[in-house]
Amino acid sequence: MTLSVCITHDFGAAQLDLGFEAPGGVTALYGPSGAGKTSVVNAVAGLLKPDAGRIALGGDVLVDTEAGVFVPVHKRRMGYVFQDGRLFPHLTVARNLAYGRSGASPDKVVDLLDLGGLLTRYPARLSGGEKQRVAIGRALLSDPRMLLMDEPLASLDPGRKAEILPYLDRLVAETKLPVIYVSHAAEEVLRLATTLVLIEGGRVLEAGPVAEMAGHPAIAGAVPEAPVGTVIEGVIGAKQADGLTEVTAAGGRLYLSDAPGTPGERVALGIGAEEITLAAELPAALGALNVLDVTVDAMRLSGQTVTIGLRAGPDRLTARLARRAALQLELRPGQRLKAIVRPVLRG
Amino acid sequence: MDLDQLGPAEWEAVRLSLRVSLVATLVSLPLGVFVAYALARWRFPGHALLNGLVHLPLVLPPVVTGYLLLVLLGRRGALGAWLEETFGLVIAFRWTGAAIAAGVMAFPLLVRAVRLAIEAVDPGLEDAAATLGASRVRVFLTVTLPLIWPGLLAGAVLAFAKAMGEFGATITFVAAIPGETLTIPSAIYTALQVPGREDAVLALVGISIAVAMAAVLLSEALARRAARRIAGT
């Protein structure tokens, strides 16, 4: 289901004049603060009535100023996750989740977002990351046709961001809902998006599949140099005879020394971008414990460093190599490689 | 203060005052909430005019408000004559008229309290509710109303207290007829005109002070709860 947007709006101090198509998957609206990204999402949700233009989801016209069509907010079925969560303070988490009245059982969403322990709490007793998870769950349970996420991680510190990102990955993979994801953080966009729309000054600079756009200076230049890394989730397995702990992640088995935790427990593993070594083939004798089969997803050159997006099963990893090292590998998207990684347990 | 000093006429005034004030508060509450919501949330032509009109009874001499009510709702008033012809309804010099006078005088206090409570509610929460499929009415009933509830109660308590004390507009509009429009303030005034009724005056004054004090304390307590509730703790 394709969302097509073509609107103009005059805010007085700023103008919006843009059009783009979101072909399903995750479409990131990326650009600096004040570029007009939130206004676009508000127009799609029905919270902003544009001066002129047309917005349609598949064959369903939501806004057509020429024909006088404006579907009110509550009839659009757009799941909106706001930057500030906007949970209802007078309702428990369970009742916040049930507000959308889809009639669907919340169990699946509660599992997906690990909300089971929070259901009886009030929003004031939740951490920032928990609030955002509940907000995502509430939007999902309103039976939306599409998810609109307006910088859902912007109000969180880096630790909480790393806590939420795996949930977003899972959500995108499992729900198959089209998502509009607003962000000014290049890392989030590169990690989650399939389509990228670059917005600046109320206009679309460029739009296209993320693999083609990743090298665009507007986004490549914006990725901070350090520290880049990935957090993946795994389940602790049996203690090994030599004291190592086995952790099964979606992309393969990993072994950690000195890892606390009991078998069956879910843990988050951090893998720094500099802690990944890539090889086309493994040497016959290898002094490393952890090797994952990965596929090259996207690459981006900035200065003498190449940042490489990798997929290990459903997990995504980010590696960083010197340009010369990357040239020796003859990197290309889709290429299969071995990644020698050094994961650390995150608290 | 000695309540034994109150004769049947004074007790009648107390009962009448309570009834008039209660009816005035309950009837003006829905209208007050609607006006407060409109003033807090909507921008429309005539916004400033409506705001001024609501506040007029607060700044006008009560006698003027009472006179205007008489001109409008008296038996020969524009609206009053029509009401009598169409429904056989007479308001002037009846207890219903006293309730209308009290309601009009208390209206600004009610609207101010409710408007403040509504303005303290983040409109973003109402937007969020709408994106979840809730109609305007449902958003108001399930998000706005629960969050302003203590503020609304506080406003109603204040309005009730103001209605209990209303004198000028009431006596101008509906006079002071025992058993019909003779409320506590009118009874105090009447008793003061008669030598030897000082004890009854004192008892009625005591009741007035007690009701007013209780209303202010209750109103403050409810306002504090409103603040806590919106903070979500």
Side-chain angles (χ1 to χ4, degrees):
Chain A
M1 196 154 39
T2 299
L3 175 82
S4 55
V5 176
C6 182
I7 50 171
T8 60
H9 192 78
D10 188 352
F11 290 100
Q15 274 76 35
L16 203 61
D17 181 5
L18 51 73
F20 65 89
E21 297 218 326
V26 180
T27 302
L29 306 186
Y30 175 82
S33 298
K37 309 183 295 290
T38 299
S39 302
V40 173
V41 174
N42 281 344
V44 174
L47 296 173
L48 170 76
K49 195 169 189 172
D51 291 339
R54 191 173 184 281
I55 299 173
L57 182 61
D60 187 9
V61 178
L62 301 174
V63 177
D64 188 338
T65 49
E66 261 177 49
V69 176
F70 184 83
V71 178
V73 189
H74 67 280
K75 295 204 171 132
R76 292 201 184 184
R77 287 177 52 215
M78 294 284 176
Y80 199 146
V81 180
F82 296 88
Q83 185 175 341
D84 49 355
R86 299 194 187 178
L87 300 181
F88 304 125
H90 58 300
L91 301 179
T92 58
V93 167
R95 293 187 58 201
N96 265 282
L97 291 174
Y99 193 88
R101 272 189 182 169
S102 63
S105 158
D107 297 353
K108 211 182 146 215
V109 169
V110 167
D111 280 351
L112 180 73
L113 296 165
D114 267 338
L115 301 174
L118 310 176
L119 293 175
T120 56
R121 286 201 226 164
Y122 282 89
R125 301 255 175 262
L126 299 177
S127 73
E130 289 168 340
K131 275 184 194 157
Q132 279 316 72
R133 265 154 56 201
V134 175
I136 294 166
R138 184 178 68 171
L140 283 175
L141 281 169
S142 67
D143 188 26
R145 294 185 288 181
M146 180 164 209
L147 266 192
L148 308 173
M149 307 185 92
D150 183 13
E151 310 229 14
L153 306 183
S155 59
L156 305 178
D157 59 61
R160 295 283 89 79
K161 270 183 204 175
E163 170 196 316
I164 299 269
L165 273 166
Y167 289 108
L168 291 183
D169 286 338
R170 256 155 79 185
L171 182 134
V172 167
E174 287 185 25
T175 63
K176 308 274 189 282
L177 273 178
V179 179
I180 299 284
Y181 191 94
V182 169
S183 181
H184 64 258
E187 277 178 79
E188 282 166 44
V189 166
L190 290 173
R191 172 168 173 164
L192 294 166
T194 46
T195 305
L196 189 56
V197 179
L198 296 179
I199 297 182
E200 208 171 305
R203 290 169 182 279
V204 172
L205 285 186
E206 220 169 317
V210 77
E212 294 168 21
M213 300 275 296
H216 194 283
I219 194 155
V223 179
E225 275 306 302
V228 173
T230 324
V231 177
I232 63 174
E233 270 195 273
V235 178
I236 294 186
K239 206 82 172 170
Q240 307 284 298
D242 56 1
L244 290 175
T245 304
E246 184 188 83
V247 176
T248 308
R253 285 214 173 85
L254 298 167
Y255 298 91
L256 280 81
S257 52
D258 311 322
T262 48
E265 190 183 329
R266 292 192 85 88
V267 288
L269 300 176
I271 304 174
E274 269 80 14
E275 303 298 318
I276 298 178
T277 308
L278 295 173
E281 285 168 47
L282 290 182
L286 176 66
L289 285 171
N290 295 308
V291 180
L292 295 173
D293 290 309
V294 296
T295 309
V296 177
D297 206 22
M299 297 160 297
R300 187 173 71 243
L301 180 68
S302 55
Q304 289 301 309
T305 313
V306 183
T307 306
I308 304 147
L310 301 166
R311 281 177 190 272
D315 284 329
R316 299 198 194 195
L317 303 175
T318 305
R320 194 174 262 177
L321 296 184
R323 186 172 174 212
R324 193 192 292 175
L327 284 174
Q328 285 166 5
L329 278 170
E330 298 175 341
L331 284 178
R332 61 183 188 281
Q335 187 178 10
R336 293 174 174 282
L337 294 171
K338 301 285 182 188
I340 302 153
V341 301
R342 276 173 296 277
V344 290
L345 200 64
R346 316 249 319 182
Chain B
M1 183 179 99
D2 188 354
L3 290 180
D4 294 342
Q5 294 303 315
L6 292 180
E10 281 82 18
W11 276 119
E12 174 118 64
V14 172
R15 274 198 302 274
L16 183 70
S17 262
L18 289 173
R19 182 171 57 169
V20 162
S21 305
L22 201 65
V23 168
T25 307
L26 290 181
V27 170
S28 55
L29 204 55
L31 184 66
V33 171
F34 179 79
V35 170
Y37 191 87
L39 288 174
R41 285 282 190 262
W42 298 337
R43 290 288 162 267
F44 52 90
H47 186 274
L49 190 70
L50 178 65
N51 191 37
L53 211 62
V54 165
H55 283 90
L56 215 51
L58 201 62
V59 287
L60 273 182
V63 174
V64 174
T65 306
Y67 175 71
L68 290 174
L69 285 173
L70 193 59
V71 167
L72 192 70
L73 290 169
R75 299 189 74 156
R76 269 173 284 169
L79 204 55
W82 178 79
L83 280 175
E84 192 174 348
E85 268 169 44
T86 322
F87 303 105
L89 201 67
V90 179
I91 292 163
F93 306 108
R94 302 288 160 84
W95 76 269
T96 44
I100 288 177
V104 167
M105 292 301 291
F107 202 63
L109 293 178
L110 177 66
V111 170
R112 282 178 81 89
V114 177
R115 180 178 175 177
L116 279 178
I118 291 173
E119 280 171 349
V121 175
D122 176 7
L125 291 176
E126 295 166 329
D127 285 349
T131 65
L132 294 166
S135 65
R136 268 196 182 192
V137 173
R138 190 175 164 232
V139 171
F140 180 79
L141 291 179
T142 57
V143 176
T144 320
L145 196 59
L147 289 175
I148 66 165
W149 191 242
L152 188 145
L153 281 179
V157 169
L158 262 183
F160 178 80
K162 172 76 185 165
M164 284 289 289
E166 217 303 304
F167 174 64
T170 307
I171 206 160
T172 313
F173 181 33
V174 292
I177 304 159
E180 193 70 48
T181 64
L182 186 83
T183 54
I184 293 178
S186 305
I188 292 174
Y189 184 79
T190 312
L192 273 174
Q193 312 302 308
V194 185
R197 297 295 287 139
E198 285 81 4
D199 287 347
V201 167
L202 215 59
L204 285 170
V205 165
I207 290 177
S208 287
I209 292 175
V211 169
M213 199 64 193
V216 170
L217 290 180
L218 188 61
S219 169
E220 291 283 322
L222 291 171
R224 272 198 300 279
R225 234 190 93 198
R228 277 206 305 276
R229 177 155 201 164
I230 290 169
T233 50

